[in-house]
mmCIF file of all heavy atoms in Angstrom:
data_model
loop_
_atom_site.group_PDB
_atom_site.id
_atom_site.type_symbol
_atom_site.label_atom_id
_atom_site.label_comp_id
_atom_site.label_asym_id
_atom_site.label_seq_id
_atom_site.Cartn_x
_atom_site.Cartn_y
_atom_site.Cartn_z
ATOM 1 N N LEU A 46 107.159 94.525 103.976
ATOM 2 C CA LEU A 46 107.064 95.481 105.079
ATOM 3 C C LEU A 46 105.616 95.830 105.390
ATOM 4 O O LEU A 46 105.220 95.903 106.555
ATOM 5 C CB LEU A 46 107.860 96.742 104.733
ATOM 6 C CG LEU A 46 109.373 96.583 104.837
ATOM 7 C CD1 LEU A 46 110.072 97.835 104.386
ATOM 8 C CD2 LEU A 46 109.771 96.268 106.253
ATOM 9 N N VAL A 47 104.804 96.030 104.326
ATOM 10 C CA VAL A 47 103.403 96.392 104.576
ATOM 11 C C VAL A 47 102.663 95.231 105.245
ATOM 12 O O VAL A 47 101.868 95.432 106.175
ATOM 13 C CB VAL A 47 102.730 96.804 103.249
ATOM 14 C CG1 VAL A 47 101.241 96.906 103.435
ATOM 15 C CG2 VAL A 47 103.253 98.130 102.797
ATOM 16 N N LEU A 48 102.948 94.006 104.819
ATOM 17 C CA LEU A 48 102.278 92.869 105.450
ATOM 18 C C LEU A 48 102.745 92.696 106.890
ATOM 19 O O LEU A 48 101.969 92.283 107.761
ATOM 20 C CB LEU A 48 102.524 91.611 104.628
ATOM 21 C CG LEU A 48 101.851 91.653 103.255
ATOM 22 C CD1 LEU A 48 102.225 90.443 102.444
ATOM 23 C CD2 LEU A 48 100.350 91.714 103.401
ATOM 24 N N LEU A 49 104.029 93.029 107.159
ATOM 25 C CA LEU A 49 104.526 92.997 108.540
ATOM 26 C C LEU A 49 103.756 94.001 109.402
ATOM 27 O O LEU A 49 103.400 93.704 110.553
ATOM 28 C CB LEU A 49 106.012 93.328 108.538
ATOM 29 C CG LEU A 49 106.799 93.023 109.797
ATOM 30 C CD1 LEU A 49 106.891 91.523 109.950
ATOM 31 C CD2 LEU A 49 108.178 93.611 109.698
ATOM 32 N N ALA A 50 103.498 95.185 108.835
ATOM 33 C CA ALA A 50 102.696 96.172 109.562
ATOM 34 C C ALA A 50 101.302 95.627 109.848
ATOM 35 O O ALA A 50 100.750 95.857 110.929
ATOM 36 C CB ALA A 50 102.607 97.465 108.764
ATOM 37 N N ALA A 51 100.732 94.880 108.898
ATOM 38 C CA ALA A 51 99.407 94.299 109.128
ATOM 39 C C ALA A 51 99.463 93.257 110.249
ATOM 40 O O ALA A 51 98.546 93.175 111.074
ATOM 41 C CB ALA A 51 98.878 93.684 107.842
ATOM 42 N N VAL A 52 100.548 92.480 110.310
ATOM 43 C CA VAL A 52 100.704 91.509 111.405
ATOM 44 C C VAL A 52 100.700 92.230 112.745
ATOM 45 O O VAL A 52 99.993 91.842 113.685
ATOM 46 C CB VAL A 52 102.004 90.706 111.237
ATOM 47 C CG1 VAL A 52 102.310 89.924 112.489
ATOM 48 C CG2 VAL A 52 101.918 89.768 110.076
ATOM 49 N N VAL A 53 101.485 93.324 112.849
ATOM 50 C CA VAL A 53 101.574 94.041 114.123
ATOM 51 C C VAL A 53 100.239 94.691 114.462
ATOM 52 O O VAL A 53 99.859 94.781 115.628
ATOM 53 C CB VAL A 53 102.703 95.078 114.049
ATOM 54 C CG1 VAL A 53 102.806 95.847 115.347
ATOM 55 C CG2 VAL A 53 104.017 94.395 113.773
ATOM 56 N N TYR A 54 99.504 95.142 113.437
ATOM 57 C CA TYR A 54 98.225 95.797 113.704
ATOM 58 C C TYR A 54 97.188 94.817 114.216
ATOM 59 O O TYR A 54 96.491 95.075 115.192
ATOM 60 C CB TYR A 54 97.723 96.488 112.436
ATOM 61 C CG TYR A 54 96.393 97.149 112.608
ATOM 62 C CD1 TYR A 54 96.285 98.355 113.285
ATOM 63 C CD2 TYR A 54 95.236 96.561 112.108
ATOM 64 C CE1 TYR A 54 95.075 98.957 113.460
ATOM 65 C CE2 TYR A 54 94.014 97.168 112.281
ATOM 66 C CZ TYR A 54 93.938 98.363 112.955
ATOM 67 O OH TYR A 54 92.738 98.962 113.133
ATOM 68 N N PHE A 55 97.053 93.664 113.564
ATOM 69 C CA PHE A 55 95.975 92.753 113.956
ATOM 70 C C PHE A 55 96.337 91.917 115.176
ATOM 71 O O PHE A 55 95.478 91.670 116.019
ATOM 72 C CB PHE A 55 95.604 91.837 112.778
ATOM 73 C CG PHE A 55 94.838 92.546 111.711
ATOM 74 C CD1 PHE A 55 95.387 92.779 110.472
ATOM 75 C CD2 PHE A 55 93.550 92.996 111.961
ATOM 76 C CE1 PHE A 55 94.682 93.438 109.495
ATOM 77 C CE2 PHE A 55 92.844 93.653 110.984
ATOM 78 C CZ PHE A 55 93.408 93.874 109.754
ATOM 79 N N LEU A 56 97.611 91.460 115.275
ATOM 80 C CA LEU A 56 98.076 90.639 116.399
ATOM 81 C C LEU A 56 97.126 89.482 116.694
ATOM 82 O O LEU A 56 96.560 89.359 117.778
ATOM 83 C CB LEU A 56 98.269 91.493 117.658
ATOM 84 C CG LEU A 56 99.591 92.244 117.763
ATOM 85 C CD1 LEU A 56 99.706 92.897 119.114
ATOM 86 C CD2 LEU A 56 100.770 91.330 117.549
ATOM 87 N N ASP A 57 96.949 88.638 115.678
ATOM 88 C CA ASP A 57 95.998 87.541 115.798
ATOM 89 C C ASP A 57 96.619 86.354 115.076
ATOM 90 O O ASP A 57 97.247 86.529 114.034
ATOM 91 C CB ASP A 57 94.670 87.961 115.142
ATOM 92 C CG ASP A 57 93.641 86.865 115.223
ATOM 93 O OD1 ASP A 57 93.829 85.970 116.063
ATOM 94 O OD2 ASP A 57 92.684 86.909 114.435
ATOM 95 N N TRP A 58 96.456 85.159 115.638
ATOM 96 C CA TRP A 58 97.154 84.020 115.046
ATOM 97 C C TRP A 58 96.657 83.701 113.649
ATOM 98 O O TRP A 58 97.444 83.408 112.751
ATOM 99 C CB TRP A 58 97.026 82.787 115.928
ATOM 100 C CG TRP A 58 98.079 82.767 116.967
ATOM 101 C CD1 TRP A 58 97.905 82.936 118.303
ATOM 102 C CD2 TRP A 58 99.485 82.621 116.760
ATOM 103 N NE1 TRP A 58 99.116 82.917 118.937
ATOM 104 C CE2 TRP A 58 100.092 82.713 118.032
ATOM 105 C CE3 TRP A 58 100.288 82.439 115.642
ATOM 106 C CZ2 TRP A 58 101.465 82.616 118.184
ATOM 107 C CZ3 TRP A 58 101.650 82.346 115.804
ATOM 108 C CH2 TRP A 58 102.227 82.427 117.062
ATOM 109 N N ALA A 59 95.334 83.777 113.457
ATOM 110 C CA ALA A 59 94.785 83.432 112.138
ATOM 111 C C ALA A 59 95.335 84.373 111.078
ATOM 112 O O ALA A 59 95.777 83.946 109.998
ATOM 113 C CB ALA A 59 93.268 83.492 112.171
ATOM 114 N N VAL A 60 95.342 85.677 111.405
ATOM 115 C CA VAL A 60 95.843 86.675 110.454
ATOM 116 C C VAL A 60 97.330 86.472 110.213
ATOM 117 O O VAL A 60 97.825 86.550 109.079
ATOM 118 C CB VAL A 60 95.544 88.083 110.984
ATOM 119 C CG1 VAL A 60 96.185 89.125 110.113
ATOM 120 C CG2 VAL A 60 94.069 88.299 111.062
ATOM 121 N N THR A 61 98.073 86.173 111.295
ATOM 122 C CA THR A 61 99.518 86.004 111.152
ATOM 123 C C THR A 61 99.856 84.844 110.227
ATOM 124 O O THR A 61 100.719 84.963 109.357
ATOM 125 C CB THR A 61 100.146 85.775 112.524
ATOM 126 O OG1 THR A 61 99.749 86.834 113.381
ATOM 127 C CG2 THR A 61 101.646 85.750 112.424
ATOM 128 N N VAL A 62 99.143 83.729 110.406
ATOM 129 C CA VAL A 62 99.417 82.571 109.547
ATOM 130 C C VAL A 62 99.082 82.894 108.097
ATOM 131 O O VAL A 62 99.826 82.537 107.171
ATOM 132 C CB VAL A 62 98.620 81.350 110.056
ATOM 133 C CG1 VAL A 62 98.685 80.231 109.045
ATOM 134 C CG2 VAL A 62 99.183 80.893 111.367
ATOM 135 N N ARG A 63 97.978 83.618 107.890
ATOM 136 C CA ARG A 63 97.590 83.973 106.523
ATOM 137 C C ARG A 63 98.657 84.866 105.868
ATOM 138 O O ARG A 63 99.044 84.661 104.717
ATOM 139 C CB ARG A 63 96.257 84.717 106.580
ATOM 140 C CG ARG A 63 95.332 84.335 105.459
ATOM 141 C CD ARG A 63 94.018 85.027 105.630
ATOM 142 N NE ARG A 63 93.281 84.564 106.807
ATOM 143 C CZ ARG A 63 92.225 85.191 107.295
ATOM 144 N NH1 ARG A 63 91.789 86.280 106.721
ATOM 145 N NH2 ARG A 63 91.594 84.715 108.326
ATOM 146 N N ILE A 64 99.142 85.836 106.648
ATOM 147 C CA ILE A 64 100.142 86.747 106.092
ATOM 148 C C ILE A 64 101.458 86.020 105.852
ATOM 149 O O ILE A 64 102.162 86.281 104.867
ATOM 150 C CB ILE A 64 100.300 87.961 107.019
ATOM 151 C CG1 ILE A 64 99.065 88.824 106.883
ATOM 152 C CG2 ILE A 64 101.513 88.766 106.664
ATOM 153 C CD1 ILE A 64 99.044 89.994 107.772
ATOM 154 N N MET A 65 101.773 85.072 106.741
ATOM 155 C CA MET A 65 102.971 84.260 106.501
ATOM 156 C C MET A 65 102.845 83.517 105.180
ATOM 157 O O MET A 65 103.805 83.436 104.399
ATOM 158 C CB MET A 65 103.165 83.245 107.630
ATOM 159 C CG MET A 65 103.694 83.816 108.909
ATOM 160 S SD MET A 65 105.359 84.377 108.760
ATOM 161 C CE MET A 65 106.205 82.824 108.799
ATOM 162 N N ALA A 66 101.650 82.993 104.903
ATOM 163 C CA ALA A 66 101.446 82.278 103.639
ATOM 164 C C ALA A 66 101.640 83.220 102.459
ATOM 165 O O ALA A 66 102.300 82.868 101.471
ATOM 166 C CB ALA A 66 100.054 81.659 103.604
ATOM 167 N N ILE A 67 101.085 84.435 102.560
ATOM 168 C CA ILE A 67 101.244 85.392 101.454
ATOM 169 C C ILE A 67 102.716 85.702 101.226
ATOM 170 O O ILE A 67 103.212 85.712 100.094
ATOM 171 C CB ILE A 67 100.485 86.705 101.744
ATOM 172 C CG1 ILE A 67 99.000 86.455 101.909
ATOM 173 C CG2 ILE A 67 100.696 87.696 100.635
ATOM 174 C CD1 ILE A 67 98.254 87.658 102.347
ATOM 175 N N MET A 68 103.461 85.937 102.322
ATOM 176 C CA MET A 68 104.864 86.298 102.160
ATOM 177 C C MET A 68 105.680 85.145 101.596
ATOM 178 O O MET A 68 106.569 85.354 100.765
ATOM 179 C CB MET A 68 105.436 86.768 103.499
ATOM 180 C CG MET A 68 105.079 88.204 103.788
ATOM 181 S SD MET A 68 105.321 88.677 105.481
ATOM 182 C CE MET A 68 107.055 88.913 105.518
ATOM 183 N N VAL A 69 105.374 83.920 102.052
ATOM 184 C CA VAL A 69 106.106 82.771 101.513
ATOM 185 C C VAL A 69 105.836 82.625 100.021
ATOM 186 O O VAL A 69 106.746 82.410 99.222
ATOM 187 C CB VAL A 69 105.729 81.499 102.286
ATOM 188 C CG1 VAL A 69 106.182 80.264 101.535
ATOM 189 C CG2 VAL A 69 106.367 81.516 103.647
ATOM 190 N N PHE A 70 104.554 82.785 99.623
ATOM 191 C CA PHE A 70 104.239 82.685 98.195
ATOM 192 C C PHE A 70 104.964 83.755 97.402
ATOM 193 O O PHE A 70 105.562 83.483 96.360
ATOM 194 C CB PHE A 70 102.736 82.819 97.975
ATOM 195 C CG PHE A 70 101.992 81.562 98.237
ATOM 196 C CD1 PHE A 70 100.845 81.571 98.992
ATOM 197 C CD2 PHE A 70 102.449 80.354 97.726
ATOM 198 C CE1 PHE A 70 100.161 80.409 99.254
ATOM 199 C CE2 PHE A 70 101.762 79.193 97.991
ATOM 200 C CZ PHE A 70 100.616 79.220 98.755
ATOM 201 N N LEU A 71 104.927 84.992 97.920
ATOM 202 C CA LEU A 71 105.574 86.083 97.183
ATOM 203 C C LEU A 71 107.065 85.831 97.040
ATOM 204 O O LEU A 71 107.638 85.947 95.962
ATOM 205 C CB LEU A 71 105.355 87.399 97.915
ATOM 206 C CG LEU A 71 104.154 88.225 97.516
ATOM 207 C CD1 LEU A 71 104.151 89.513 98.286
ATOM 208 C CD2 LEU A 71 104.213 88.520 96.042
ATOM 209 N N MET A 72 107.708 85.460 98.155
ATOM 210 C CA MET A 72 109.161 85.320 98.104
ATOM 211 C C MET A 72 109.587 84.083 97.353
ATOM 212 O O MET A 72 110.707 84.016 96.850
ATOM 213 C CB MET A 72 109.716 85.313 99.527
ATOM 214 C CG MET A 72 109.603 86.671 100.141
ATOM 215 S SD MET A 72 110.386 86.783 101.710
ATOM 216 C CE MET A 72 109.987 88.458 102.135
ATOM 217 N N ALA A 73 108.713 83.075 97.263
ATOM 218 C CA ALA A 73 109.076 81.890 96.487
ATOM 219 C C ALA A 73 108.809 82.104 95.008
ATOM 220 O O ALA A 73 109.540 81.584 94.168
ATOM 221 C CB ALA A 73 108.308 80.675 96.991
ATOM 222 N N THR A 74 107.760 82.865 94.678
ATOM 223 C CA THR A 74 107.381 82.949 93.272
ATOM 224 C C THR A 74 108.026 84.121 92.541
ATOM 225 O O THR A 74 108.161 84.060 91.327
ATOM 226 C CB THR A 74 105.865 83.061 93.127
ATOM 227 O OG1 THR A 74 105.430 84.210 93.840
ATOM 228 C CG2 THR A 74 105.182 81.842 93.647
ATOM 229 N N ALA A 75 108.420 85.184 93.252
ATOM 230 C CA ALA A 75 109.006 86.337 92.549
ATOM 231 C C ALA A 75 110.300 85.965 91.814
ATOM 232 O O ALA A 75 110.445 86.314 90.644
ATOM 233 C CB ALA A 75 109.241 87.498 93.521
ATOM 234 N N PRO A 76 111.247 85.220 92.423
ATOM 235 C CA PRO A 76 112.440 84.849 91.660
ATOM 236 C C PRO A 76 112.144 83.907 90.506
ATOM 237 O O PRO A 76 112.767 84.027 89.441
ATOM 238 C CB PRO A 76 113.335 84.153 92.696
ATOM 239 C CG PRO A 76 112.801 84.507 93.996
ATOM 240 C CD PRO A 76 111.363 84.750 93.818
ATOM 241 N N ILE A 77 111.171 83.002 90.691
ATOM 242 C CA ILE A 77 110.870 82.059 89.605
ATOM 243 C C ILE A 77 110.285 82.804 88.414
ATOM 244 O O ILE A 77 110.697 82.611 87.260
ATOM 245 C CB ILE A 77 109.909 80.973 90.106
ATOM 246 C CG1 ILE A 77 110.546 80.216 91.265
ATOM 247 C CG2 ILE A 77 109.568 80.011 89.001
ATOM 248 C CD1 ILE A 77 109.619 79.280 91.938
ATOM 249 N N GLY A 78 109.321 83.690 88.707
ATOM 250 C CA GLY A 78 108.718 84.463 87.626
ATOM 251 C C GLY A 78 109.734 85.356 86.944
ATOM 252 O O GLY A 78 109.752 85.456 85.709
ATOM 253 N N ALA A 79 110.621 85.978 87.744
ATOM 254 C CA ALA A 79 111.616 86.860 87.150
ATOM 255 C C ALA A 79 112.603 86.066 86.299
ATOM 256 O O ALA A 79 113.016 86.521 85.228
ATOM 257 C CB ALA A 79 112.364 87.611 88.251
ATOM 258 N N HIS A 80 112.946 84.868 86.748
ATOM 259 C CA HIS A 80 113.861 84.044 85.960
ATOM 260 C C HIS A 80 113.247 83.660 84.623
ATOM 261 O O HIS A 80 113.877 83.772 83.563
ATOM 262 C CB HIS A 80 114.214 82.795 86.764
ATOM 263 C CG HIS A 80 114.807 81.704 85.952
ATOM 264 N ND1 HIS A 80 114.225 80.474 85.847
ATOM 265 C CD2 HIS A 80 115.900 81.680 85.187
ATOM 266 C CE1 HIS A 80 114.973 79.737 85.047
ATOM 267 N NE2 HIS A 80 115.986 80.426 84.636
ATOM 268 N N MET A 81 111.968 83.231 84.663
ATOM 269 C CA MET A 81 111.326 82.841 83.399
ATOM 270 C C MET A 81 111.193 84.030 82.467
ATOM 271 O O MET A 81 111.415 83.935 81.261
ATOM 272 C CB MET A 81 109.955 82.247 83.682
ATOM 273 C CG MET A 81 110.048 80.928 84.384
ATOM 274 S SD MET A 81 108.539 80.026 84.290
ATOM 275 C CE MET A 81 108.548 79.534 82.590
ATOM 276 N N MET A 82 110.843 85.199 83.051
ATOM 277 C CA MET A 82 110.664 86.395 82.229
ATOM 278 C C MET A 82 111.996 86.846 81.639
ATOM 279 O O MET A 82 112.068 87.245 80.476
ATOM 280 C CB MET A 82 110.089 87.480 83.139
ATOM 281 C CG MET A 82 109.132 88.399 82.485
ATOM 282 S SD MET A 82 108.053 87.611 81.379
ATOM 283 C CE MET A 82 108.538 88.425 79.899
ATOM 284 N N GLY A 83 113.076 86.749 82.448
ATOM 285 C CA GLY A 83 114.383 87.152 81.946
ATOM 286 C C GLY A 83 114.860 86.255 80.826
ATOM 287 O O GLY A 83 115.389 86.724 79.816
ATOM 288 N N ARG A 84 114.631 84.940 80.984
ATOM 289 C CA ARG A 84 115.055 84.017 79.923
ATOM 290 C C ARG A 84 114.255 84.269 78.646
ATOM 291 O O ARG A 84 114.806 84.289 77.540
ATOM 292 C CB ARG A 84 114.839 82.583 80.400
ATOM 293 C CG ARG A 84 115.551 81.576 79.554
ATOM 294 C CD ARG A 84 115.338 80.211 80.106
ATOM 295 N NE ARG A 84 113.919 79.914 80.225
ATOM 296 C CZ ARG A 84 113.448 78.756 80.660
ATOM 297 N NH1 ARG A 84 114.286 77.828 81.036
ATOM 298 N NH2 ARG A 84 112.168 78.542 80.731
ATOM 299 N N ALA A 85 112.937 84.509 78.819
ATOM 300 C CA ALA A 85 112.104 84.756 77.643
ATOM 301 C C ALA A 85 112.534 86.030 76.933
ATOM 302 O O ALA A 85 112.622 86.064 75.707
ATOM 303 C CB ALA A 85 110.643 84.846 78.050
ATOM 304 N N SER A 86 112.834 87.092 77.719
ATOM 305 C CA SER A 86 113.195 88.341 77.045
ATOM 306 C C SER A 86 114.578 88.243 76.415
ATOM 307 O O SER A 86 114.846 88.882 75.407
ATOM 308 C CB SER A 86 113.136 89.510 78.025
ATOM 309 O OG SER A 86 113.988 89.263 79.092
ATOM 310 N N LEU A 87 115.451 87.417 77.006
ATOM 311 C CA LEU A 87 116.764 87.222 76.377
ATOM 312 C C LEU A 87 116.625 86.481 75.063
ATOM 313 O O LEU A 87 117.274 86.811 74.072
ATOM 314 C CB LEU A 87 117.654 86.437 77.336
ATOM 315 C CG LEU A 87 119.147 86.547 77.085
ATOM 316 C CD1 LEU A 87 119.590 87.962 77.354
ATOM 317 C CD2 LEU A 87 119.900 85.585 77.965
ATOM 318 N N ARG A 88 115.757 85.470 75.039
ATOM 319 C CA ARG A 88 115.570 84.736 73.783
ATOM 320 C C ARG A 88 114.820 85.553 72.761
ATOM 321 O O ARG A 88 114.966 85.330 71.563
ATOM 322 C CB ARG A 88 114.815 83.437 74.064
ATOM 323 C CG ARG A 88 115.697 82.487 74.810
ATOM 324 C CD ARG A 88 115.172 81.097 74.764
ATOM 325 N NE ARG A 88 116.109 80.235 75.467
ATOM 326 C CZ ARG A 88 115.741 79.142 76.094
ATOM 327 N NH1 ARG A 88 114.493 78.765 76.109
ATOM 328 N NH2 ARG A 88 116.640 78.414 76.698
ATOM 329 N N ALA A 89 113.968 86.483 73.238
ATOM 330 C CA ALA A 89 113.252 87.341 72.290
ATOM 331 C C ALA A 89 114.166 88.416 71.720
ATOM 332 O O ALA A 89 113.735 89.215 70.905
ATOM 333 C CB ALA A 89 112.059 87.986 72.963
ATOM 334 N N LYS A 90 115.412 88.460 72.202
ATOM 335 C CA LYS A 90 116.406 89.417 71.726
ATOM 336 C C LYS A 90 115.914 90.850 71.858
ATOM 337 O O LYS A 90 115.891 91.629 70.907
ATOM 338 C CB LYS A 90 116.794 89.121 70.276
ATOM 339 C CG LYS A 90 117.454 87.776 70.112
ATOM 340 C CD LYS A 90 118.367 87.731 68.918
ATOM 341 C CE LYS A 90 119.196 86.475 68.920
ATOM 342 N NZ LYS A 90 118.444 85.261 69.269
ATOM 343 N N VAL A 91 115.475 91.160 73.087
ATOM 344 C CA VAL A 91 115.090 92.534 73.391
ATOM 345 C C VAL A 91 116.336 93.408 73.356
ATOM 346 O O VAL A 91 117.378 92.997 73.861
ATOM 347 C CB VAL A 91 114.437 92.572 74.786
ATOM 348 C CG1 VAL A 91 114.236 93.980 75.261
ATOM 349 C CG2 VAL A 91 113.131 91.840 74.762
ATOM 350 N N PRO A 92 116.273 94.586 72.738
ATOM 351 C CA PRO A 92 117.461 95.451 72.693
ATOM 352 C C PRO A 92 117.900 95.856 74.084
ATOM 353 O O PRO A 92 117.111 96.355 74.868
ATOM 354 C CB PRO A 92 116.991 96.663 71.882
ATOM 355 C CG PRO A 92 115.518 96.595 71.903
ATOM 356 C CD PRO A 92 115.154 95.161 71.976
ATOM 357 N N LEU A 93 119.163 95.605 74.417
ATOM 358 C CA LEU A 93 119.677 95.893 75.748
ATOM 359 C C LEU A 93 120.389 97.237 75.761
ATOM 360 O O LEU A 93 120.819 97.754 74.735
ATOM 361 C CB LEU A 93 120.633 94.792 76.195
ATOM 362 C CG LEU A 93 119.992 93.432 76.392
ATOM 363 C CD1 LEU A 93 121.022 92.458 76.900
ATOM 364 C CD2 LEU A 93 118.847 93.518 77.367
ATOM 365 N N TYR A 94 120.492 97.758 76.986
ATOM 366 C CA TYR A 94 121.107 99.063 77.200
ATOM 367 C C TYR A 94 122.614 98.902 77.141
ATOM 368 O O TYR A 94 123.192 98.117 77.871
ATOM 369 C CB TYR A 94 120.672 99.576 78.550
ATOM 370 C CG TYR A 94 121.369 100.789 79.046
ATOM 371 C CD1 TYR A 94 121.430 101.930 78.262
ATOM 372 C CD2 TYR A 94 121.947 100.816 80.303
ATOM 373 C CE1 TYR A 94 122.053 103.052 78.728
ATOM 374 C CE2 TYR A 94 122.563 101.940 80.764
ATOM 375 C CZ TYR A 94 122.619 103.048 79.980
ATOM 376 O OH TYR A 94 123.235 104.156 80.441
ATOM 377 N N LYS A 95 123.264 99.628 76.236
ATOM 378 C CA LYS A 95 124.715 99.508 76.097
ATOM 379 C C LYS A 95 125.402 100.598 76.894
ATOM 380 O O LYS A 95 125.147 101.784 76.689
ATOM 381 C CB LYS A 95 125.093 99.635 74.620
ATOM 382 C CG LYS A 95 124.574 98.502 73.782
ATOM 383 C CD LYS A 95 125.682 97.905 72.977
ATOM 384 C CE LYS A 95 125.226 96.689 72.196
ATOM 385 N NZ LYS A 95 123.795 96.517 72.045
ATOM 386 N N ILE A 96 126.293 100.167 77.791
ATOM 387 C CA ILE A 96 127.090 101.143 78.531
ATOM 388 C C ILE A 96 128.264 101.532 77.649
ATOM 389 O O ILE A 96 128.962 100.674 77.109
ATOM 390 C CB ILE A 96 127.586 100.540 79.841
ATOM 391 C CG1 ILE A 96 126.399 100.177 80.718
ATOM 392 C CG2 ILE A 96 128.482 101.518 80.558
ATOM 393 C CD1 ILE A 96 126.796 99.408 81.942
ATOM 394 N N LYS A 97 128.459 102.820 77.507
ATOM 395 C CA LYS A 97 129.582 103.277 76.694
ATOM 396 C C LYS A 97 130.886 103.009 77.423
ATOM 397 O O LYS A 97 130.977 103.149 78.639
ATOM 398 C CB LYS A 97 129.435 104.774 76.421
ATOM 399 C CG LYS A 97 128.292 105.081 75.473
ATOM 400 C CD LYS A 97 128.359 106.527 75.042
ATOM 401 C CE LYS A 97 127.050 106.937 74.415
ATOM 402 N NZ LYS A 97 126.147 107.543 75.392
#
Side-chain angles (χ1 to χ4, degrees):
Chain A
L46 285 176
V47 169
L48 293 175
L49 195 69
V52 168
V53 179
Y54 178 76
F55 286 112
L56 277 187
D57 180 19
W58 274 111
V60 173
T61 306
V62 169
R63 219 176 293 167
I64 288 177
M65 284 292 283
I67 299 173
M68 279 164 79
V69 165
F70 280 133
L71 268 183
M72 289 186 182
T74 58
I77 300 172
H80 163 240
M81 292 197 72
M82 215 40 242
R84 195 178 56 178
S86 58
L87 200 66
R88 290 197 178 150
K90 297 206 170 43
V91 170
L93 295 183
Y94 170 53
K95 294 232 176 16
I96 298 172
K97 290 191 195 93

